[in-house]
Amino acid sequence: LLLIAQEKFYQMQIHLQAQKEFVQQLANTPTVVEILHQSDIELYDLEALHQTSTSFLQQHQHKNLFIISPKGKLLFAAEHHMALGEHLTDDDWQTSALATLYRQIQPKPMVLGYHWDEVEGKLIGLISAPIVYDSELIGYLVIQMNKTWLNQFVEQRQGLGETGEINLGYQRPDGSAAPLFPTRYSEHNSTQREALAGEPIPLEKAIDGEVGWGESYDYRGEPIIVAWLYEPETNLGVVVKQDKKELFSKLKTQKGTFAISLILIMLIVILLTHRASRKQAKIIQQLVDQAQRLGSTQEHNLEQTTEQMAPELKKLSEALASADLQIKAQLNLLSTQAQLLEQQSESLKNANLNLEKLAQAIPCPGKKTYRAQNHNQTQS
């Protein structure tokens, strides 16, 4: 609700900034500057100035247009001319919005927010811009704003449900706050003050320049959640509210929806985790079986791919594969050495048979000779 109020605040500021620029452009037009520079001419009799001012008021939907001299003399009014020639410094004008503006006027575009004008008996908001000729200030152009442009900020209630409402309010001469437009519910009663038990109503807090939000009661006496702030250029309070019952009903529904969504998400996460753990458990079992076969004489080939393994299992798989390759190399080396030993054993066996055949083929003439030969063979 406070964000909605702040958004209205920014939209109003943008509109006022645009209007200040439009008023300054009008103050710079040759029609206004040249005519005002000719001080001997009665301004209210000039048809060209009337046409320009009327066209501007219709285009921008303002209420009236004034021209004031640097000394506060009222020189021109688009709608009525009864007070032309009077000075805003006179006592009769002291409580008027024009005199208030003149006391605060600046040599640049400015806005005097909506104030109660006792002379006119109504709420008036003004925008002024300086009129300059050859770097000399020769007067001020003043536009009286109407209130219709503010309707758009009240009527746009997106995001506020069935009971939401936006109010703009001003300060009465007695200091109390009053809504700028009729309230949304015409059947409202006067139980707000009683329900608040002397606490200021949100609109009064806004008029006093506060910014905040909280629980309160509206003009119907209904419990509400409300946000309020003050817009200084228009001198208006902005209040955005919604019935507490409707707002909390929506929050309760959103809470239930959130809880159901959270449970579904948790179930999906559990299922995915269970599926992933089963897949990893299968991979681990295959690695265990492979590790058990590494020391055996069986063929051991690591057939499991590592693409879907966890990083730790992938490292373990790579270590087992490396160990498997080393064992295979060692087995191949032992097999080669065994073949060499077998060949050497076969050669020794053949040599031994040849020696035996050679020994049998030697003649034996006598015992002595036999012993000598036998001794020589033994030495050999």
Side-chain angles (χ1 to χ4, degrees):
L1 297 179
L2 184 58
L3 289 174
I4 293 175
Q6 290 172 339
E7 179 63 25
K8 302 300 179 184
F9 174 91
Y10 295 135
Q11 290 176 359
M12 292 165 66
Q13 286 191 326
I14 291 172
H15 179 87
L16 288 175
Q17 182 60 36
Q19 294 305 313
K20 285 192 290 185
E21 293 177 0
F22 291 144
V23 174
Q24 183 62 77
Q25 290 174 6
L26 179 62
N28 293 335
T29 57
T31 303
V32 174
V33 175
E34 293 293 340
I35 291 176
L36 185 60
H37 178 61
Q38 302 172 13
S39 57
D40 57 333
I41 298 177
E42 296 294 338
L43 296 182
Y44 51 84
D45 289 336
L46 297 178
E47 184 65 25
L49 186 57
H50 274 289
Q51 292 179 355
T52 300
S53 60
T54 300
S55 175
F56 182 86
L57 293 176
Q58 291 177 351
Q59 180 180 358
H60 297 282
Q61 299 181 348
H62 293 303
K63 195 171 184 63
N64 206 346
L65 183 149
F66 307 94
I67 294 179
I68 304 171
S69 73
K71 294 184 178 181
K73 183 179 179 180
L74 186 58
L75 301 176
F76 177 81
E79 293 299 325
H80 56 82
H81 318 294
M82 292 184 296
L84 293 182
E86 296 188 13
H87 284 79
L88 300 178
T89 55
D90 295 343
D91 293 339
D92 294 341
W93 287 89
Q94 290 303 304
T95 57
S96 69
L98 278 175
T100 302
L101 172 69
Y102 180 72
R103 289 193 293 268
Q104 304 175 17
I105 207 160
Q106 301 175 9
K108 62 180 182 179
M110 63 168 289
V111 176
L112 177 70
Y114 289 91
H115 289 77
W116 186 261
D117 189 327
E118 294 186 4
V119 176
E120 295 285 339
K122 57 186 176 182
L123 199 67
I124 292 179
L126 303 171
I127 302 176
S128 69
I131 304 173
V132 179
Y133 178 82
D134 195 18
S135 302
E136 179 186 357
L137 180 66
I138 60 175
Y140 298 97
L141 182 70
V142 180
I143 294 296
Q144 179 182 342
M145 298 181 289
N146 59 25
K147 299 182 296 183
T148 56
W149 69 278
L150 293 166
N151 274 322
Q152 58 181 317
F153 304 111
V154 175
E155 294 174 354
Q156 295 173 358
R157 297 189 294 268
Q158 289 84 356
L160 293 178
E162 296 295 329
T163 62
E165 186 174 3
I166 301 172
N167 287 329
L168 299 177
Y170 67 96
Q171 190 174 37
R172 293 192 182 104
D174 60 2
S176 62
L180 189 64
F181 301 107
T183 54
R184 182 179 179 185
Y185 303 99
S186 58
E187 67 276 10
H188 69 274
N189 50 45
S190 59
T191 59
Q192 185 178 30
R193 297 283 183 184
E194 299 176 5
L196 289 173
E199 181 184 349
I201 64 175
L203 187 56
E204 290 174 340
K205 294 179 181 179
I207 292 298
D208 289 339
E210 295 184 23
V211 177
W213 65 275
E215 295 187 33
S216 186
Y217 294 88
D218 71 350
Y219 52 85
R220 301 168 298 161
E222 287 289 331
I224 58 172
I225 305 297
V226 60
W228 60 88
L229 57 81
Y230 173 68
E231 205 294 304
E233 280 204 306
T234 58
N235 193 35
L236 297 176
V238 182
V239 175
V240 180
K241 70 179 184 67
Q242 190 172 1
D243 284 5
K244 183 177 178 180
K245 184 186 300 183
E246 181 187 15
L247 185 59
F248 275 74
S249 175
K250 289 184 177 180
L251 291 175
K252 186 176 180 181
T253 303
Q254 293 175 358
K255 184 179 178 181
T257 304
F258 175 77
I260 294 173
S261 301
L262 183 61
I263 292 173
L264 291 175
I265 291 172
M266 290 178 64
L267 288 175
I268 293 172
V269 170
I270 291 172
L271 290 174
L272 292 176
T273 303
H274 178 68
R275 181 179 178 183
S277 63
R278 289 188 60 185
K279 183 182 294 184
Q280 296 298 329
K282 184 178 179 181
I283 295 173
I284 291 172
Q285 186 59 48
Q286 292 176 352
L287 292 174
V288 170
D289 295 340
Q290 182 67 21
Q292 290 176 348
R293 292 198 301 269
L294 284 177
S296 68
T297 57
Q298 303 175 5
E299 284 294 325
H300 36 78
N301 294 315
L302 192 62
E303 299 176 354
Q304 175 64 38
T305 60
T306 61
E307 294 179 357
Q308 298 180 346
M309 287 185 181
E312 295 83 0
L313 296 179
K314 188 178 294 185
K315 290 181 180 180
L316 178 58
S317 175
E318 292 172 354
L320 291 174
S322 177
D324 182 60
L325 292 175
Q326 292 178 4
I327 291 174
K328 284 182 177 180
Q330 292 177 0
L331 289 176
N332 291 333
L333 180 60
L334 290 174
S335 177
T336 302
Q337 292 177 351
Q339 291 177 0
L340 291 174
L341 289 174
E342 186 177 355
Q343 291 175 1
Q344 291 176 359
S345 176
E346 187 67 26
S347 298
L348 290 173
K349 185 177 179 181
N350 293 333
N352 189 33
L353 291 175
N354 291 333
L355 286 174
E356 287 181 358
K357 291 178 180 180
L358 182 60
Q360 291 175 2
I362 296 175
C364 299
K367 184 176 182 180
K368 184 177 180 180
T369 305
Y370 172 79
R371 288 181 178 176
Q373 292 177 350
N374 188 31
H375 176 70
N376 293 332
Q377 290 179 356
T378 302
Q379 289 180 346
S380 300

